[in-house]
Amino acid sequence: MPKVAILIYSADDTIANLAENEKKGIEIAGGEAEIFQVPDVTFTSETEQQEEEGGKVGKTNADYPYKILTRDTLVEHDYYLFGIPAKFGNFPVEWKAFWDSNTGGLWAKGSLHGKIAGLFVSGGISGKGDTEMCIMNAMSTLVHHGIIYVPLGYKNAYKELTDTDDINGSCAWGAGCVSGANDDRAPSVSELKVHQLQGKAFYDRIKDL
């Protein structure tokens, strides 16, 4: 039975919540998954300083029960779902620092070549440009490592992706969530459903490989 590593960075509960629903979808399909959290970066950003002064403090790895993502995690697993909170249409610094600081040797050896991944995201606003661009930019890293990308597509979530009466941050590139400009919007029932659908579809795709 293939085991999926769900690899996330979550500064609040949004991506962690989405990851739990991706995991639930995998389990519905009869699979198994474990969630890992990207290591914290030790500096405090200007935004985080402002949030602390206003009484809102960003979460750290210590606030979550997940194991910390390492190079060994990537090597030991063949299937990944990456959870990324979009920052200006790209990785947040924690994700970028992990790739740059930990995977150069893996790239040189081709250690991740042929492994399979999907992506899910959150973004601050309801337009999909930010989250779609985040996935596209993340794919550059996957391509350099030779990781095969599996998109969500429309087949398994057509109703949710085409519903104009409900905000849904998901797109054909991957499941998503609109978190609000202040990261204070909880994922909707529709968004959580799409993440479960993505987890299930991803596992259905890999279970016979």
PDB file of all heavy atoms in Angstrom, residues 135-174:
ATOM      1  N   ILE A 135       0.909  27.698  -7.467  1.00  0.00           N
ATOM      2  CA  ILE A 135       1.091  26.314  -7.901  1.00  0.00           C
ATOM      3  C   ILE A 135       2.029  26.252  -9.102  1.00  0.00           C
ATOM      4  O   ILE A 135       2.919  25.400  -9.179  1.00  0.00           O
ATOM      5  CB  ILE A 135      -0.270  25.662  -8.219  1.00  0.00           C
ATOM      6  CG1 ILE A 135      -1.085  25.492  -6.923  1.00  0.00           C
ATOM      7  CG2 ILE A 135      -0.079  24.309  -8.894  1.00  0.00           C
ATOM      8  CD1 ILE A 135      -2.479  24.952  -7.127  1.00  0.00           C
ATOM      9  N   MET A 136       1.838  27.169 -10.057  1.00  0.00           N
ATOM     10  CA  MET A 136       2.722  27.182 -11.230  1.00  0.00           C
ATOM     11  C   MET A 136       4.179  27.403 -10.818  1.00  0.00           C
ATOM     12  O   MET A 136       5.094  26.731 -11.311  1.00  0.00           O
ATOM     13  CB  MET A 136       2.286  28.284 -12.189  1.00  0.00           C
ATOM     14  CG  MET A 136       0.951  28.063 -12.850  1.00  0.00           C
ATOM     15  SD  MET A 136       0.534  29.456 -13.939  1.00  0.00           S
ATOM     16  CE  MET A 136      -1.224  29.242 -14.100  1.00  0.00           C
ATOM     17  N   ASN A 137       4.402  28.357  -9.912  1.00  0.00           N
ATOM     18  CA  ASN A 137       5.767  28.619  -9.457  1.00  0.00           C
ATOM     19  C   ASN A 137       6.334  27.431  -8.684  1.00  0.00           C
ATOM     20  O   ASN A 137       7.527  27.110  -8.806  1.00  0.00           O
ATOM     21  CB  ASN A 137       5.795  29.880  -8.593  1.00  0.00           C
ATOM     22  CG  ASN A 137       5.633  31.146  -9.409  1.00  0.00           C
ATOM     23  OD1 ASN A 137       6.048  31.204 -10.561  1.00  0.00           O
ATOM     24  ND2 ASN A 137       5.038  32.172  -8.827  1.00  0.00           N
ATOM     25  N   ALA A 138       5.504  26.779  -7.884  1.00  0.00           N
ATOM     26  CA  ALA A 138       5.961  25.605  -7.136  1.00  0.00           C
ATOM     27  C   ALA A 138       6.353  24.478  -8.078  1.00  0.00           C
ATOM     28  O   ALA A 138       7.285  23.705  -7.800  1.00  0.00           O
ATOM     29  CB  ALA A 138       4.876  25.136  -6.176  1.00  0.00           C
ATOM     30  N   MET A 139       5.673  24.402  -9.213  1.00  0.00           N
ATOM     31  CA  MET A 139       5.975  23.342 -10.172  1.00  0.00           C
ATOM     32  C   MET A 139       7.383  23.455 -10.730  1.00  0.00           C
ATOM     33  O   MET A 139       7.985  22.456 -11.132  1.00  0.00           O
ATOM     34  CB  MET A 139       4.951  23.359 -11.303  1.00  0.00           C
ATOM     35  CG  MET A 139       3.616  22.756 -10.901  1.00  0.00           C
ATOM     36  SD  MET A 139       2.415  22.858 -12.245  1.00  0.00           S
ATOM     37  CE  MET A 139       3.245  21.911 -13.509  1.00  0.00           C
ATOM     38  N   SER A 140       7.948  24.673 -10.744  1.00  0.00           N
ATOM     39  CA  SER A 140       9.323  24.837 -11.202  1.00  0.00           C
ATOM     40  C   SER A 140      10.273  24.002 -10.346  1.00  0.00           C
ATOM     41  O   SER A 140      11.191  23.355 -10.861  1.00  0.00           O
ATOM     42  CB  SER A 140       9.733  26.315 -11.151  1.00  0.00           C
ATOM     43  OG  SER A 140      11.095  26.482 -11.461  1.00  0.00           O
ATOM     44  N   THR A 141      10.050  24.008  -9.028  1.00  0.00           N
ATOM     45  CA  THR A 141      10.873  23.200  -8.134  1.00  0.00           C
ATOM     46  C   THR A 141      10.671  21.714  -8.398  1.00  0.00           C
ATOM     47  O   THR A 141      11.634  20.936  -8.442  1.00  0.00           O
ATOM     48  CB  THR A 141      10.546  23.528  -6.670  1.00  0.00           C
ATOM     49  OG1 THR A 141      10.814  24.910  -6.423  1.00  0.00           O
ATOM     50  CG2 THR A 141      11.362  22.675  -5.716  1.00  0.00           C
ATOM     51  N   LEU A 142       9.409  21.315  -8.591  1.00  0.00           N
ATOM     52  CA  LEU A 142       9.133  19.905  -8.861  1.00  0.00           C
ATOM     53  C   LEU A 142       9.832  19.450 -10.145  1.00  0.00           C
ATOM     54  O   LEU A 142      10.419  18.366 -10.194  1.00  0.00           O
ATOM     55  CB  LEU A 142       7.620  19.672  -8.980  1.00  0.00           C
ATOM     56  CG  LEU A 142       6.732  20.072  -7.806  1.00  0.00           C
ATOM     57  CD1 LEU A 142       5.317  19.541  -8.020  1.00  0.00           C
ATOM     58  CD2 LEU A 142       7.281  19.593  -6.481  1.00  0.00           C
ATOM     59  N   VAL A 143       9.753  20.287 -11.174  1.00  0.00           N
ATOM     60  CA  VAL A 143      10.355  19.938 -12.460  1.00  0.00           C
ATOM     61  C   VAL A 143      11.863  19.751 -12.333  1.00  0.00           C
ATOM     62  O   VAL A 143      12.445  18.810 -12.886  1.00  0.00           O
ATOM     63  CB  VAL A 143      10.030  21.014 -13.512  1.00  0.00           C
ATOM     64  CG1 VAL A 143      10.897  20.844 -14.756  1.00  0.00           C
ATOM     65  CG2 VAL A 143       8.558  20.952 -13.893  1.00  0.00           C
ATOM     66  N   HIS A 144      12.523  20.630 -11.582  1.00  0.00           N
ATOM     67  CA  HIS A 144      13.982  20.512 -11.427  1.00  0.00           C
ATOM     68  C   HIS A 144      14.375  19.224 -10.721  1.00  0.00           C
ATOM     69  O   HIS A 144      15.461  18.683 -10.960  1.00  0.00           O
ATOM     70  CB  HIS A 144      14.534  21.735 -10.671  1.00  0.00           C
ATOM     71  CG  HIS A 144      14.746  22.920 -11.549  1.00  0.00           C
ATOM     72  ND1 HIS A 144      13.708  23.737 -11.953  1.00  0.00           N
ATOM     73  CD2 HIS A 144      15.861  23.423 -12.137  1.00  0.00           C
ATOM     74  CE1 HIS A 144      14.185  24.695 -12.736  1.00  0.00           C
ATOM     75  NE2 HIS A 144      15.487  24.517 -12.864  1.00  0.00           N
ATOM     76  N   HIS A 145      13.498  18.739  -9.859  1.00  0.00           N
ATOM     77  CA  HIS A 145      13.776  17.473  -9.174  1.00  0.00           C
ATOM     78  C   HIS A 145      13.263  16.265  -9.961  1.00  0.00           C
ATOM     79  O   HIS A 145      13.516  15.117  -9.561  1.00  0.00           O
ATOM     80  CB  HIS A 145      13.149  17.468  -7.779  1.00  0.00           C
ATOM     81  CG  HIS A 145      13.950  18.217  -6.753  1.00  0.00           C
ATOM     82  ND1 HIS A 145      15.108  17.707  -6.216  1.00  0.00           N
ATOM     83  CD2 HIS A 145      13.775  19.429  -6.178  1.00  0.00           C
ATOM     84  CE1 HIS A 145      15.605  18.568  -5.328  1.00  0.00           C
ATOM     85  NE2 HIS A 145      14.819  19.626  -5.297  1.00  0.00           N
ATOM     86  N   GLY A 146      12.539  16.503 -11.054  1.00  0.00           N
ATOM     87  CA  GLY A 146      11.988  15.379 -11.819  1.00  0.00           C
ATOM     88  C   GLY A 146      10.764  14.762 -11.184  1.00  0.00           C
ATOM     89  O   GLY A 146      10.416  13.609 -11.468  1.00  0.00           O
ATOM     90  N   ILE A 147      10.082  15.520 -10.315  1.00  0.00           N
ATOM     91  CA  ILE A 147       8.866  15.027  -9.657  1.00  0.00           C
ATOM     92  C   ILE A 147       7.683  15.185 -10.607  1.00  0.00           C
ATOM     93  O   ILE A 147       7.491  16.233 -11.222  1.00  0.00           O
ATOM     94  CB  ILE A 147       8.616  15.788  -8.347  1.00  0.00           C
ATOM     95  CG1 ILE A 147       9.762  15.551  -7.360  1.00  0.00           C
ATOM     96  CG2 ILE A 147       7.293  15.369  -7.715  1.00  0.00           C
ATOM     97  CD1 ILE A 147       9.706  16.420  -6.112  1.00  0.00           C
ATOM     98  N   ILE A 148       6.871  14.150 -10.724  1.00  0.00           N
ATOM     99  CA  ILE A 148       5.718  14.141 -11.628  1.00  0.00           C
ATOM    100  C   ILE A 148       4.526  14.792 -10.935  1.00  0.00           C
ATOM    101  O   ILE A 148       4.166  14.427  -9.810  1.00  0.00           O
ATOM    102  CB  ILE A 148       5.374  12.703 -12.049  1.00  0.00           C
ATOM    103  CG1 ILE A 148       6.570  12.061 -12.758  1.00  0.00           C
ATOM    104  CG2 ILE A 148       4.137  12.683 -12.932  1.00  0.00           C
ATOM    105  CD1 ILE A 148       6.435  10.558 -12.936  1.00  0.00           C
ATOM    106  N   TYR A 149       3.907  15.761 -11.610  1.00  0.00           N
ATOM    107  CA  TYR A 149       2.810  16.537 -11.027  1.00  0.00           C
ATOM    108  C   TYR A 149       1.458  15.980 -11.469  1.00  0.00           C
ATOM    109  O   TYR A 149       1.233  15.745 -12.657  1.00  0.00           O
ATOM    110  CB  TYR A 149       2.959  17.997 -11.453  1.00  0.00           C
ATOM    111  CG  TYR A 149       1.746  18.865 -11.237  1.00  0.00           C
ATOM    112  CD1 TYR A 149       1.248  19.097  -9.966  1.00  0.00           C
ATOM    113  CD2 TYR A 149       1.094  19.471 -12.313  1.00  0.00           C
ATOM    114  CE1 TYR A 149       0.135  19.905  -9.769  1.00  0.00           C
ATOM    115  CE2 TYR A 149      -0.009  20.283 -12.126  1.00  0.00           C
ATOM    116  CZ  TYR A 149      -0.489  20.491 -10.851  1.00  0.00           C
ATOM    117  OH  TYR A 149      -1.589  21.282 -10.663  1.00  0.00           O
ATOM    118  N   VAL A 150       0.561  15.789 -10.505  1.00  0.00           N
ATOM    119  CA  VAL A 150      -0.802  15.329 -10.782  1.00  0.00           C
ATOM    120  C   VAL A 150      -1.768  16.458 -10.420  1.00  0.00           C
ATOM    121  O   VAL A 150      -1.937  16.784  -9.244  1.00  0.00           O
ATOM    122  CB  VAL A 150      -1.146  14.069  -9.962  1.00  0.00           C
ATOM    123  CG1 VAL A 150      -2.582  13.641 -10.223  1.00  0.00           C
ATOM    124  CG2 VAL A 150      -0.183  12.936 -10.294  1.00  0.00           C
ATOM    125  N   PRO A 151      -2.418  17.085 -11.408  1.00  0.00           N
ATOM    126  CA  PRO A 151      -3.347  18.172 -11.110  1.00  0.00           C
ATOM    127  C   PRO A 151      -4.680  17.646 -10.583  1.00  0.00           C
ATOM    128  O   PRO A 151      -5.000  16.457 -10.738  1.00  0.00           O
ATOM    129  CB  PRO A 151      -3.540  18.842 -12.476  1.00  0.00           C
ATOM    130  CG  PRO A 151      -3.363  17.721 -13.452  1.00  0.00           C
ATOM    131  CD  PRO A 151      -2.304  16.822 -12.857  1.00  0.00           C
ATOM    132  N   LEU A 152      -5.464  18.513  -9.987  1.00  0.00           N
ATOM    133  CA  LEU A 152      -6.812  18.142  -9.554  1.00  0.00           C
ATOM    134  C   LEU A 152      -7.713  17.931 -10.763  1.00  0.00           C
ATOM    135  O   LEU A 152      -8.464  16.961 -10.829  1.00  0.00           O
ATOM    136  CB  LEU A 152      -7.393  19.238  -8.649  1.00  0.00           C
ATOM    137  CG  LEU A 152      -8.878  19.096  -8.285  1.00  0.00           C
ATOM    138  CD1 LEU A 152      -9.125  17.820  -7.477  1.00  0.00           C
ATOM    139  CD2 LEU A 152      -9.354  20.320  -7.511  1.00  0.00           C
ATOM    140  N   GLY A 153      -7.654  18.863 -11.751  1.00  0.00           N
ATOM    141  CA  GLY A 153      -8.552  18.778 -12.902  1.00  0.00           C
ATOM    142  C   GLY A 153      -9.990  19.099 -12.507  1.00  0.00           C
ATOM    143  O   GLY A 153     -10.273  19.556 -11.389  1.00  0.00           O
ATOM    144  N   TYR A 154     -10.901  18.854 -13.439  1.00  0.00           N
ATOM    145  CA  TYR A 154     -12.318  19.147 -13.194  1.00  0.00           C
ATOM    146  C   TYR A 154     -13.164  17.892 -12.977  1.00  0.00           C
ATOM    147  O   TYR A 154     -14.261  17.974 -12.423  1.00  0.00           O
ATOM    148  CB  TYR A 154     -12.902  19.920 -14.380  1.00  0.00           C
ATOM    149  CG  TYR A 154     -12.604  21.405 -14.327  1.00  0.00           C
ATOM    150  CD1 TYR A 154     -11.477  21.930 -14.948  1.00  0.00           C
ATOM    151  CD2 TYR A 154     -13.438  22.283 -13.647  1.00  0.00           C
ATOM    152  CE1 TYR A 154     -11.189  23.281 -14.897  1.00  0.00           C
ATOM    153  CE2 TYR A 154     -13.171  23.635 -13.591  1.00  0.00           C
ATOM    154  CZ  TYR A 154     -12.044  24.124 -14.218  1.00  0.00           C
ATOM    155  OH  TYR A 154     -11.769  25.469 -14.160  1.00  0.00           O
ATOM    156  N   LYS A 155     -12.687  16.743 -13.401  1.00  0.00           N
ATOM    157  CA  LYS A 155     -13.521  15.544 -13.408  1.00  0.00           C
ATOM    158  C   LYS A 155     -14.155  15.240 -12.056  1.00  0.00           C
ATOM    159  O   LYS A 155     -15.352  14.940 -11.982  1.00  0.00           O
ATOM    160  CB  LYS A 155     -12.690  14.348 -13.871  1.00  0.00           C
ATOM    161  CG  LYS A 155     -13.472  13.034 -13.852  1.00  0.00           C
ATOM    162  CD  LYS A 155     -12.599  11.859 -14.245  1.00  0.00           C
ATOM    163  CE  LYS A 155     -13.388  10.550 -14.141  1.00  0.00           C
ATOM    164  NZ  LYS A 155     -12.544   9.386 -14.510  1.00  0.00           N
ATOM    165  N   ASN A 156     -13.366  15.319 -11.002  1.00  0.00           N
ATOM    166  CA  ASN A 156     -13.856  14.872  -9.690  1.00  0.00           C
ATOM    167  C   ASN A 156     -14.448  15.980  -8.832  1.00  0.00           C
ATOM    168  O   ASN A 156     -14.991  15.706  -7.762  1.00  0.00           O
ATOM    169  CB  ASN A 156     -12.700  14.198  -8.931  1.00  0.00           C
ATOM    170  CG  ASN A 156     -12.195  12.967  -9.646  1.00  0.00           C
ATOM    171  OD1 ASN A 156     -12.907  11.978  -9.769  1.00  0.00           O
ATOM    172  ND2 ASN A 156     -10.973  13.032 -10.148  1.00  0.00           N
ATOM    173  N   ALA A 157     -14.333  17.236  -9.283  1.00  0.00           N
ATOM    174  CA  ALA A 157     -14.859  18.348  -8.475  1.00  0.00           C
ATOM    175  C   ALA A 157     -15.522  19.408  -9.360  1.00  0.00           C
ATOM    176  O   ALA A 157     -15.470  20.588  -9.061  1.00  0.00           O
ATOM    177  CB  ALA A 157     -13.738  18.972  -7.657  1.00  0.00           C
ATOM    178  N   TYR A 158     -16.147  18.953 -10.449  1.00  0.00           N
ATOM    179  CA  TYR A 158     -16.724  19.888 -11.425  1.00  0.00           C
ATOM    180  C   TYR A 158     -17.759  20.801 -10.781  1.00  0.00           C
ATOM    181  O   TYR A 158     -17.749  22.017 -10.992  1.00  0.00           O
ATOM    182  CB  TYR A 158     -17.348  19.113 -12.583  1.00  0.00           C
ATOM    183  CG  TYR A 158     -17.975  20.018 -13.627  1.00  0.00           C
ATOM    184  CD1 TYR A 158     -17.192  20.590 -14.638  1.00  0.00           C
ATOM    185  CD2 TYR A 158     -19.336  20.308 -13.609  1.00  0.00           C
ATOM    186  CE1 TYR A 158     -17.750  21.426 -15.588  1.00  0.00           C
ATOM    187  CE2 TYR A 158     -19.908  21.140 -14.551  1.00  0.00           C
ATOM    188  CZ  TYR A 158     -19.108  21.701 -15.540  1.00  0.00           C
ATOM    189  OH  TYR A 158     -19.674  22.532 -16.468  1.00  0.00           O
ATOM    190  N   LYS A 159     -18.656  20.234 -10.009  1.00  0.00           N
ATOM    191  CA  LYS A 159     -19.728  21.027  -9.396  1.00  0.00           C
ATOM    192  C   LYS A 159     -19.166  22.134  -8.516  1.00  0.00           C
ATOM    193  O   LYS A 159     -19.594  23.292  -8.596  1.00  0.00           O
ATOM    194  CB  LYS A 159     -20.647  20.123  -8.568  1.00  0.00           C
ATOM    195  CG  LYS A 159     -21.784  20.859  -7.855  1.00  0.00           C
ATOM    196  CD  LYS A 159     -22.645  19.889  -7.056  1.00  0.00           C
ATOM    197  CE  LYS A 159     -23.781  20.623  -6.360  1.00  0.00           C
ATOM    198  NZ  LYS A 159     -23.273  21.579  -5.339  1.00  0.00           N
ATOM    199  N   GLU A 160     -18.204  21.794  -7.675  1.00  0.00           N
ATOM    200  CA  GLU A 160     -17.642  22.773  -6.737  1.00  0.00           C
ATOM    201  C   GLU A 160     -16.806  23.833  -7.472  1.00  0.00           C
ATOM    202  O   GLU A 160     -16.832  25.012  -7.107  1.00  0.00           O
ATOM    203  CB  GLU A 160     -16.769  22.067  -5.705  1.00  0.00           C
ATOM    204  CG  GLU A 160     -17.541  21.205  -4.711  1.00  0.00           C
ATOM    205  CD  GLU A 160     -18.014  19.889  -5.301  1.00  0.00           C
ATOM    206  OE1 GLU A 160     -17.491  19.479  -6.369  1.00  0.00           O
ATOM    207  OE2 GLU A 160     -18.908  19.254  -4.706  1.00  0.00           O
ATOM    208  N   LEU A 161     -16.083  23.436  -8.507  1.00  0.00           N
ATOM    209  CA  LEU A 161     -15.206  24.364  -9.217  1.00  0.00           C
ATOM    210  C   LEU A 161     -15.975  25.321 -10.122  1.00  0.00           C
ATOM    211  O   LEU A 161     -15.463  26.381 -10.480  1.00  0.00           O
ATOM    212  CB  LEU A 161     -14.165  23.600 -10.041  1.00  0.00           C
ATOM    213  CG  LEU A 161     -13.134  22.793  -9.257  1.00  0.00           C
ATOM    214  CD1 LEU A 161     -12.180  22.082 -10.205  1.00  0.00           C
ATOM    215  CD2 LEU A 161     -12.356  23.664  -8.298  1.00  0.00           C
ATOM    216  N   THR A 162     -17.196  24.944 -10.512  1.00  0.00           N
ATOM    217  CA  THR A 162     -17.971  25.785 -11.421  1.00  0.00           C
ATOM    218  C   THR A 162     -19.130  26.491 -10.722  1.00  0.00           C
ATOM    219  O   THR A 162     -19.890  27.211 -11.377  1.00  0.00           O
ATOM    220  CB  THR A 162     -18.524  24.953 -12.589  1.00  0.00           C
ATOM    221  OG1 THR A 162     -19.345  23.889 -12.080  1.00  0.00           O
ATOM    222  CG2 THR A 162     -17.385  24.366 -13.414  1.00  0.00           C
ATOM    223  N   ASP A 163     -19.272  26.328  -9.430  1.00  0.00           N
ATOM    224  CA  ASP A 163     -20.354  26.970  -8.672  1.00  0.00           C
ATOM    225  C   ASP A 163     -20.043  28.454  -8.493  1.00  0.00           C
ATOM    226  O   ASP A 163     -19.075  28.819  -7.824  1.00  0.00           O
ATOM    227  CB  ASP A 163     -20.501  26.297  -7.312  1.00  0.00           C
ATOM    228  CG  ASP A 163     -21.694  26.826  -6.516  1.00  0.00           C
ATOM    229  OD1 ASP A 163     -22.382  27.758  -7.000  1.00  0.00           O
ATOM    230  OD2 ASP A 163     -21.928  26.312  -5.412  1.00  0.00           O
ATOM    231  N   THR A 164     -20.858  29.321  -9.084  1.00  0.00           N
ATOM    232  CA  THR A 164     -20.634  30.769  -8.986  1.00  0.00           C
ATOM    233  C   THR A 164     -21.347  31.393  -7.795  1.00  0.00           C
ATOM    234  O   THR A 164     -21.213  32.598  -7.555  1.00  0.00           O
ATOM    235  CB  THR A 164     -21.103  31.474 -10.274  1.00  0.00           C
ATOM    236  OG1 THR A 164     -22.503  31.193 -10.488  1.00  0.00           O
ATOM    237  CG2 THR A 164     -20.292  30.998 -11.475  1.00  0.00           C
ATOM    238  N   ASP A 165     -22.093  30.599  -7.044  1.00  0.00           N
ATOM    239  CA  ASP A 165     -22.828  31.131  -5.892  1.00  0.00           C
ATOM    240  C   ASP A 165     -22.048  31.007  -4.585  1.00  0.00           C
ATOM    241  O   ASP A 165     -22.476  31.498  -3.548  1.00  0.00           O
ATOM    242  CB  ASP A 165     -24.171  30.403  -5.739  1.00  0.00           C
ATOM    243  CG  ASP A 165     -25.095  30.667  -6.908  1.00  0.00           C
ATOM    244  OD1 ASP A 165     -25.063  31.801  -7.439  1.00  0.00           O
ATOM    245  OD2 ASP A 165     -25.835  29.740  -7.295  1.00  0.00           O
ATOM    246  N   ASP A 166     -20.911  30.345  -4.629  1.00  0.00           N
ATOM    247  CA  ASP A 166     -20.146  30.107  -3.402  1.00  0.00           C
ATOM    248  C   ASP A 166     -18.667  30.357  -3.685  1.00  0.00           C
ATOM    249  O   ASP A 166     -18.150  29.928  -4.715  1.00  0.00           O
ATOM    250  CB  ASP A 166     -20.353  28.662  -2.935  1.00  0.00           C
ATOM    251  CG  ASP A 166     -19.743  28.397  -1.566  1.00  0.00           C
ATOM    252  OD1 ASP A 166     -19.466  29.372  -0.841  1.00  0.00           O
ATOM    253  OD2 ASP A 166     -19.540  27.218  -1.229  1.00  0.00           O
ATOM    254  N   ILE A 167     -18.005  31.073  -2.792  1.00  0.00           N
ATOM    255  CA  ILE A 167     -16.562  31.301  -2.947  1.00  0.00           C
ATOM    256  C   ILE A 167     -15.819  29.991  -2.720  1.00  0.00           C
ATOM    257  O   ILE A 167     -16.041  29.297  -1.726  1.00  0.00           O
ATOM    258  CB  ILE A 167     -16.057  32.358  -1.950  1.00  0.00           C
ATOM    259  CG1 ILE A 167     -16.677  33.723  -2.248  1.00  0.00           C
ATOM    260  CG2 ILE A 167     -14.537  32.452  -1.978  1.00  0.00           C
ATOM    261  CD1 ILE A 167     -16.323  34.774  -1.238  1.00  0.00           C
ATOM    262  N   ASN A 168     -14.948  29.645  -3.655  1.00  0.00           N
ATOM    263  CA  ASN A 168     -14.142  28.445  -3.505  1.00  0.00           C
ATOM    264  C   ASN A 168     -12.772  28.726  -4.089  1.00  0.00           C
ATOM    265  O   ASN A 168     -12.650  29.078  -5.256  1.00  0.00           O
ATOM    266  CB  ASN A 168     -14.799  27.250  -4.214  1.00  0.00           C
ATOM    267  CG  ASN A 168     -14.207  25.924  -3.784  1.00  0.00           C
ATOM    268  OD1 ASN A 168     -12.998  25.750  -3.764  1.00  0.00           O
ATOM    269  ND2 ASN A 168     -15.054  24.980  -3.418  1.00  0.00           N
ATOM    270  N   GLY A 169     -11.741  28.598  -3.280  1.00  0.00           N
ATOM    271  CA  GLY A 169     -10.389  28.915  -3.714  1.00  0.00           C
ATOM    272  C   GLY A 169      -9.731  27.835  -4.540  1.00  0.00           C
ATOM    273  O   GLY A 169      -8.566  27.959  -4.903  1.00  0.00           O
ATOM    274  N   SER A 170     -10.451  26.764  -4.844  1.00  0.00           N
ATOM    275  CA  SER A 170      -9.888  25.658  -5.610  1.00  0.00           C
ATOM    276  C   SER A 170      -9.880  25.968  -7.101  1.00  0.00           C
ATOM    277  O   SER A 170     -10.618  26.827  -7.581  1.00  0.00           O
ATOM    278  CB  SER A 170     -10.685  24.377  -5.357  1.00  0.00           C
ATOM    279  OG  SER A 170     -10.703  24.043  -3.988  1.00  0.00           O
ATOM    280  N   CYS A 171      -9.035  25.247  -7.818  1.00  0.00           N
ATOM    281  CA  CYS A 171      -8.959  25.402  -9.269  1.00  0.00           C
ATOM    282  C   CYS A 171      -8.474  24.087  -9.857  1.00  0.00           C
ATOM    283  O   CYS A 171      -8.164  23.144  -9.124  1.00  0.00           O
ATOM    284  CB  CYS A 171      -8.024  26.548  -9.649  1.00  0.00           C
ATOM    285  SG  CYS A 171      -6.303  26.290  -9.154  1.00  0.00           S
ATOM    286  N   ALA A 172      -8.399  24.014 -11.182  1.00  0.00           N
ATOM    287  CA  ALA A 172      -7.975  22.774 -11.829  1.00  0.00           C
ATOM    288  C   ALA A 172      -6.554  22.382 -11.452  1.00  0.00           C
ATOM    289  O   ALA A 172      -6.197  21.205 -11.459  1.00  0.00           O
ATOM    290  CB  ALA A 172      -8.087  22.916 -13.346  1.00  0.00           C
ATOM    291  N   TRP A 173      -5.731  23.360 -11.096  1.00  0.00           N
ATOM    292  CA  TRP A 173      -4.339  23.075 -10.723  1.00  0.00           C
ATOM    293  C   TRP A 173      -4.249  22.321  -9.396  1.00  0.00           C
ATOM    294  O   TRP A 173      -3.347  21.515  -9.194  1.00  0.00           O
ATOM    295  CB  TRP A 173      -3.552  24.380 -10.605  1.00  0.00           C
ATOM    296  CG  TRP A 173      -3.432  25.133 -11.885  1.00  0.00           C
ATOM    297  CD1 TRP A 173      -4.333  26.027 -12.407  1.00  0.00           C
ATOM    298  CD2 TRP A 173      -2.370  25.053 -12.832  1.00  0.00           C
ATOM    299  NE1 TRP A 173      -3.888  26.516 -13.611  1.00  0.00           N
ATOM    300  CE2 TRP A 173      -2.672  25.935 -13.891  1.00  0.00           C
ATOM    301  CE3 TRP A 173      -1.179  24.342 -12.874  1.00  0.00           C
ATOM    302  CZ2 TRP A 173      -1.839  26.105 -14.993  1.00  0.00           C
ATOM    303  CZ3 TRP A 173      -0.338  24.513 -13.973  1.00  0.00           C
ATOM    304  CH2 TRP A 173      -0.676  25.379 -15.009  1.00  0.00           C
ATOM    305  N   GLY A 174      -5.168  22.628  -8.467  1.00  0.00           N
ATOM    306  CA  GLY A 174      -5.146  21.978  -7.166  1.00  0.00           C
ATOM    307  C   GLY A 174      -6.210  22.558  -6.260  1.00  0.00           C
ATOM    308  O   GLY A 174      -6.726  23.659  -6.509  1.00  0.00           O
TER     309      GLY A 174
END
